[in-house]
Amino acid sequence: MSEQSPSAAHDFIGKEYAAGFVTDIEQETIPPGLDEAVITEISKRKNEPAWLLDWRLQAYRRWLDMPEPTWARVEYEPIDYQAISYFAAPTGDKPKSLDEVDPELLRTYEKLGIPLHEQELLAGVERDPDAPRVAVDAVFDSVSVATTFQEELREHGVIFCSFSEAVENHPDLVQMYLGSVVPQSDNFFAALNSAVFSDGSFVYIPKGVRCPMELSTYFRINAQNTGQFERTLIVADEGSYVSYLEGCTAPMRDENQLHAAVVELVALEDASIKYSTVQNWYPGDEEGKGGIYNFVTKRGVCRGARSHISWTQVETGSAITWKYPSVILRGDNSVGEFYSVAITNNHQQADTGSKMTHIGRNTSSTIISKGISAGGSSNAYRGRVRMNPGAKQARNFTQCDSLLIGGKCAAHTFPTIESQRSDAIVEHEATTSKVSEDQLFLCRQRGIDAEKAVAMIVNGFCKEVLRELPMEFAVEASKLLEVSLEGAVG
Amino acid sequence: MKLLELRGLVASVDEKQILNGIDLTVNAGEVHAIMGPNGSGKSTLSNVLAGRDGYSVTQGEIELMGAPVNGMSVEERALTGLFLGFQHPIEIPGVTNMEFLKVAIDSHRISIGEEEMNTRDFMVQVRDISKRLELSTEFLKRFVNVGFSGGEKKRNEILQLMLLRPRLAFLDETDSGLDVDALQVVAKGINEFRSDDNGVVLVTHYQRLLNYVNVDFVHIMVNGAIVKSGDAQLAHEVEAQGYAGLGEA
């Protein structure tokens, strides 16, 4: 499988969405529709303990009473939740080793540039043997199909496995932390996820351990009429460190597909979690047909003193993106960061940003948001910084920059600051700029074609965020930016 | 070899005719100066040559390197060897000068089937040129033209010229807004660039750049037409009599 991998990321630079193929594989699905019987069936297929089924059902009942949020600056036809299938999985048991994984699935990940092979890494960059390695958990529709490097990680006491395996093998940890950051009834989509989530990744880093490699999960939606509801839980125990990467793609389909994930991060005293996302769900076609609805709740809690949570996201895909990776800064001197690039083209809509809630003393947070709009797209930053009464000398710095390409797109900024401390320092900077005809003319007169020029200008605009990404992802992200802007300039 | 030939060039901007029939030939090894008052159409001429959107040729012909430019895009014209020195170089925030220069040189190399330039060779070359233009290496790390002084912007144009080595350099008011020291540095760059293989057209309002660069031909442009051509002596006449004395002749 190695022959393709080095060039696989180059496949992203096709003239269209290169990850848009469908894998032909035998699947078992639960028919569309949602009620308590379906939830019970999901739980049963996953051999879950009773407490988890109860937890799901409780979430479902709460969800029934919740209205779908309408405050975001996005527009879409009402979603028929009864028309969605809530479970799709390749048939058969989960393979025990990589050798047993269906070759069709291996080919799928190979095509996407995701090596499910322990000698290899995310494609796209030439490797030197000393370069950091990446362990991958591959989630295909509703289930995890493979997780690499598990054994080596186990030697360090690191648990990295699918959520289902965690429920089976580490039920205490799961029960202790599940829903502790994003409660069941947090919001409409989080409640739905809590009821029907199928798989995802689980990470536990023990006290004082610096995770010896990057961990990553690669989400792939393949089945038709299926929603993806994954759940990720990362717990960093005292004094530990982990860098986690998340990537995602889906086939090109004419209908919209729902993706409603929940990610919970817990950082205990002196622990540090770095969470990076390159989101490349299918964005729909040029007319705005099809694409993923990406309604995701991501939140971390800095529970212990001096803990640190950093979110970095590059959002290039999805028809609609609705997500606000947030940090609750409970521990004294804890640090929260959010670095974001959200790019929209054609008819894409993004409403994204962050919430920083300062509870502990001397807590500090940074928000750097770069929105790029092209075509007829709409891109909104929405943020909330809150300084609670106990957050003595809390500080926040927020910078929101918007870049417009062409004259039909829109950028909006909705920052909210709620401070109950007179000694809080809250800074907010915002800019809006345009890729001008003069800039393009200068580049083109120097022999640089228009699309390359736009990519260069956009990369420059996003530099502060891109440099926060691990190297493998930064390369992929730069290329994705270029692909996303295909056709953005006439 | 003919690098540029204009035959009866009539061109408009936004449907307003600005160039009213220009004939001009530039051969390899020649340096020309086009002089004229503000509004005579000098900048329009450079934009038309470069193929900028909004500028259209309504009559006549442009040939670059012996071939008509019809249908050629801005970048194709650039890659065939046309370089435009900008009167007001635009800023590109976030993109360092170094990155910009590297992408530009690589675009040229790729267009002739060569590999991208080795980073080390590139650095050596860029540093050498910077030094000759009295630009510090710090300058290369700054964003393209952002916060540059007028002199730095113009020297940056000459840096691009010397790096990209075009066949034909069309420099639009490269001398405007420069003090004497900066003017001499710019002139030095132009003199180092010029050779028997390439051609230079200096578009200028004033004669003073010509004190530092020897030109073979001077053309006086008034109201979108070349009204008089001659040798370097003509520039001195303009200096003495002003354009009015020559113009409506």
Side-chain angles (χ1 to χ4, degrees):
Chain A
M1 65 176 284
S2 60
E3 55 177 353
Q4 270 195 5
S5 295
S7 65
H10 292 281
D11 295 345
F12 277 123
I13 318 179
K15 275 289 162 195
E16 51 186 21
Y17 184 73
F21 60 90
V22 178
T23 305
D24 190 10
I25 193 163
E26 228 177 289
Q27 298 250 337
E28 48 172 315
T29 55
I30 295 178
L34 183 58
D35 55 25
E36 296 201 0
V38 166
I39 292 166
T40 307
E41 178 64 21
I42 293 172
S43 189
K44 196 176 130 200
R45 288 204 191 191
K46 301 176 74 66
N47 294 318
E48 287 177 354
W51 67 264
L52 192 49
L53 175 60
D54 291 344
W55 195 80
R56 288 175 178 278
L57 291 172
Q58 192 181 30
Y60 174 67
R61 289 167 201 145
R62 290 182 173 175
W63 177 73
L64 287 176
D65 290 334
M66 295 173 82
E68 196 166 330
T70 53
W71 44 262
R73 204 179 170 92
V74 295
E75 283 173 32
Y76 56 95
E77 293 291 311
I79 297 169
D80 180 356
Y81 292 92
Q82 297 303 332
I84 297 172
S85 166
Y86 289 84
F87 188 85
T91 45
D93 292 334
K94 177 170 177 172
K96 288 187 183 53
S97 77
L98 288 173
D99 304 337
E100 293 175 21
V101 176
D102 186 324
E104 195 58 41
L105 280 176
L106 288 178
R107 268 194 292 279
T108 299
Y109 286 91
E110 202 179 296
K111 239 165 134 177
L112 295 167
I114 310 300
L116 293 184
H117 214 269
E118 306 201 340
Q119 286 81 0
E120 293 181 64
L121 298 141
L122 295 173
V125 257
E126 277 185 38
R127 286 277 118 235
D128 74 76
D130 300 330
R133 291 164 307 159
V134 182
V136 179
D137 183 25
V139 176
F140 192 83
D141 289 323
S142 302
V143 296
S144 165
V145 293
T147 312
T148 61
F149 288 108
Q150 269 179 309
E151 218 156 293
E152 190 177 334
L153 289 166
R154 210 173 293 137
E155 284 168 25
H156 291 84
V158 171
I159 301 169
F160 177 44
C161 60
S162 72
F163 206 93
S164 312
E165 284 170 86
V167 169
E168 202 176 321
N169 301 325
H170 311 281
D172 297 349
L173 280 173
V174 174
Q175 202 168 2
M176 188 179 333
Y177 291 107
L178 178 68
S180 70
V181 189
V182 179
Q184 287 173 332
S185 54
D186 185 79
N187 69 70
F188 181 83
F189 296 110
L192 178 63
N193 174 285
S194 300
V196 303
F197 77 87
S198 40
D199 216 337
S201 302
F202 176 80
V203 176
Y204 173 77
I205 314 291
K207 275 185 195 173
V209 170
R210 192 179 169 88
C211 187
M213 62 184 85
E214 309 268 358
L215 304 184
S216 85
T217 301
Y218 195 87
F219 296 103
R220 174 76 178 167
I221 295 179
N222 187 64
Q224 209 158 0
N225 301 319
T226 306
Q228 182 152 343
F229 305 92
E230 83 269 0
R231 187 111 196 166
T232 299
L233 175 56
I234 299 177
V235 179
D237 213 326
E238 293 172 16
S240 67
Y241 169 86
V242 62
S243 169
Y244 179 92
L245 324 170
E246 171 198 61
C248 30
T249 56
M252 290 189 271
R253 298 196 187 277
D254 285 347
E255 77 274 13
N256 296 107
Q257 280 181 285
L258 178 61
H259 170 251
V262 171
V263 176
E264 296 180 282
L265 310 183
V266 179
L268 302 184
E269 204 170 285
D270 292 307
S272 184
I273 301 175
K274 183 174 171 59
Y275 191 107
S276 312
T277 304
V278 174
Q279 186 263 106
N280 183 28
W281 294 120
Y282 177 52
D285 68 10
E286 281 169 36
E287 270 76 54
K289 197 170 183 199
I292 302 293
Y293 290 165
N294 191 35
F295 299 150
V296 171
T297 306
K298 288 183 168 175
R299 192 175 305 151
V301 57
C302 283
R303 216 184 258 193
R306 296 169 302 279
S307 53
H308 187 157
I309 289 179
S310 178
W311 298 100
T312 304
Q313 63 172 22
V314 175
E315 303 284 317
T316 64
S318 297
I320 301 177
T321 295
W322 178 99
K323 69 183 259 198
Y324 315 90
S326 306
V327 184
I328 298 168
L329 296 141
R330 195 181 295 162
D332 291 348
N333 299 296
S334 58
V335 177
E337 292 167 327
F338 173 72
Y339 299 97
S340 170
V341 170
I343 185 158
T344 53
N345 195 1
N346 299 320
H347 293 269
Q348 281 178 278
Q349 306 173 66
D351 192 303
T352 183
S354 183
K355 282 190 291 186
M356 294 289 176
T357 307
H358 293 251
I359 299 171
R361 288 176 293 174
N362 283 314
T363 46
S364 75
S365 61
T366 304
I367 294 174
I368 308 282
S369 164
K370 305 277 180 176
I372 299 135
S373 329
S377 68
S378 157
N379 202 325
Y381 167 81
R382 188 182 302 278
R384 195 192 71 193
V385 174
R386 180 188 270 171
M387 307 300 193
N388 281 15
K392 192 177 167 191
Q393 292 184 321
R395 300 175 301 283
N396 165 267
F397 173 75
T398 299
Q399 185 184 327
C400 295
D401 298 323
S402 306
L403 183 68
L404 305 174
I405 302 170
K408 284 181 291 183
C409 52
H412 312 274
T413 308
F414 305 103
T416 311
I417 298 165
E418 298 164 15
S419 179
Q420 293 172 271
R421 295 280 320 183
S422 58
D423 60 352
I425 300 172
V426 184
E427 294 171 80
H428 182 95
E429 291 177 8
T431 66
T432 301
S433 52
K434 263 192 96 152
V435 175
S436 73
E437 203 269 326
D438 285 345
Q439 288 172 333
L440 288 179
F441 182 59
L442 168 61
C443 294
R444 296 175 68 196
Q445 215 300 307
R446 295 300 180 254
I448 304 166
D449 70 59
E451 284 189 350
K452 192 156 203 167
V454 169
M456 181 173 72
I457 293 168
V458 166
N459 266 295
F461 175 75
C462 304
K463 201 170 283 170
E464 286 163 280
V465 173
L466 296 180
R467 72 176 170 216
E468 291 294 323
L469 288 171
M471 218 256 288
E472 293 80 4
F473 261 34
V475 172
E476 191 188 332
S478 288
K479 287 175 178 166
L480 275 178
L481 292 181
E482 222 163 305
V483 179
S484 304
L485 289 169
E486 293 274 356
V489 285
Chain B
M1 147 143 204
K2 276 184 196 168
L3 303 179
L4 174 69
E5 184 165 22
L6 306 179
R7 288 192 298 267
L9 177 67
V10 177
S12 335
V13 186
D14 299 331
E15 296 179 17
K16 185 175 178 225
Q17 187 169 314
I18 307 285
L19 302 182
N20 301 310
I22 293 183
D23 295 285
L24 177 68
T25 301
V26 179
N27 294 299
E30 295 176 353
V31 178
H32 293 238
I34 297 179
M35 301 181 69
N38 286 333
S40 58
K42 303 191 300 292
S43 290
T44 300
L45 178 59
S46 26
N47 284 318
V48 169
L49 289 186
R52 187 166 190 164
D53 290 345
Y55 292 78
S56 44
V57 175
T58 50
Q59 278 178 55
E61 306 231 25
I62 304 173
E63 283 188 7
L64 270 179
M65 318 311 149
V69 297
N70 306 346
M72 280 170 78
S73 67
V74 175
E75 47 270 47
E76 284 166 343
R77 294 178 198 207
L79 294 172
T80 186
L82 173 68
F83 178 96
L84 209 63
F86 288 87
Q87 184 180 356
H88 301 292
I90 185 87
E91 301 178 349
I92 310 182
V95 177
T96 65
N97 227 1
M98 191 75 92
E99 290 171 278
F100 177 73
L101 293 170
K102 181 75 165 65
V103 175
I105 187 100
D106 285 341
S107 299
H108 278 76
R109 290 171 68 109
I110 289 165
S111 77
I112 53 169
E114 285 182 14
E115 301 252 308
E116 289 184 3
M117 197 169 187
N118 168 299
T119 308
R120 184 175 304 175
D121 295 348
F122 170 75
M123 296 295 292
V124 168
Q125 205 174 332
V126 168
R127 286 207 178 112
D128 173 58
I129 298 170
S130 306
K131 207 167 159 190
R132 285 190 271 156
L133 294 172
E134 297 170 27
L135 290 165
S136 73
T137 42
E138 196 52 37
F139 174 83
L140 297 167
K141 295 179 194 157
R142 287 162 62 187
F143 297 149
V144 179
N145 294 322
V146 175
F148 289 15
S149 69
E152 284 175 329
K153 284 185 178 173
K154 295 301 171 70
R155 277 186 281 169
N156 198 27
E157 294 290 293
I158 302 300
L159 167 60
Q160 292 163 41
L161 171 74
M162 293 170 80
L163 181 71
L164 298 176
R165 303 175 163 279
R167 302 294 306 282
L168 177 67
F170 208 92
L171 307 178
D172 191 3
E173 307 239 359
T174 295
D175 53 336
S176 67
L178 296 184
D179 60 27
V180 175
D181 292 340
L183 186 67
Q184 286 184 4
V185 173
V186 164
K188 184 178 146 202
I190 296 170
N191 286 323
E192 283 187 23
F193 167 75
R194 67 185 292 183
S195 77
D196 290 343
D197 297 325
N198 61 38
V200 178
V201 178
L202 303 171
V203 177
T204 180
H205 194 85
Y206 303 105
Q207 185 264 340
R208 61 181 197 144
L209 178 60
L210 310 189
N211 292 333
Y212 304 100
V213 180
N214 291 322
V215 298
D216 304 302
F217 302 95
V218 173
H219 311 278
I220 307 299
M221 191 163 162
V222 179
N223 292 332
I226 289 174
V227 295
K228 196 164 184 180
S229 295
D231 59 15
Q233 184 55 34
L234 181 57
H236 294 288
E237 288 172 29
V238 169
E239 190 80 346
Q241 304 168 16
Y243 291 109
L246 300 157
E248 275 66 48

